[in-house]
Amino acid sequence: MFTLPFVIVITGLLVGAYVSAFSASNFARASAVWLVAGAGVIVGGLVSAHMNGGKPYGFDVPFGIERWKQDLPSAPPVVPEEEPGPAIA
């Protein structure tokens, strides 16, 4: 699994939560709790993926850069041989 996008998303969520926590609006302060909870869910999925064979929370989620390895065919494709043309003298 590619972790850099997860680190960027987690950092963005936590910065947004920090900014929202010091807002004057009650809705913004409540959304800070939801942002921290969302970051926690993403971190939990990232940590549990390493314990469950690359599957976040044990589920096979189709994202990440390692997914292409599963879609490769087991044998290389057959290349047809060209028939020799007439000899040029």
Side-chain angles (χ1 to χ4, degrees):
M1 202 174 348
F2 194 62
T3 58
L4 186 61
F6 291 103
V7 171
I8 292 171
V9 167
I10 296 301
T11 304
L13 286 174
L14 292 179
V15 167
Y18 184 77
V19 170
S20 296
F22 293 106
S23 176
S25 169
N26 287 335
F27 177 75
R29 286 191 301 245
S31 68
V33 174
W34 288 107
L35 289 172
V36 170
V41 167
I42 294 172
V43 168
L46 184 64
V47 170
S48 69
H50 295 289
M51 295 182 288
N52 292 319
K55 299 177 183 177
Y57 293 112
F59 299 109
D60 190 18
V61 180
F63 67 86
I65 61 172
E66 298 294 322
R67 183 76 177 169
W68 65 271
K69 290 183 180 179
Q70 297 173 359
D71 298 333
L72 291 177
S74 58
V78 177
V79 179
E81 295 183 18
E82 294 182 18
E83 296 180 12
I88 300 175

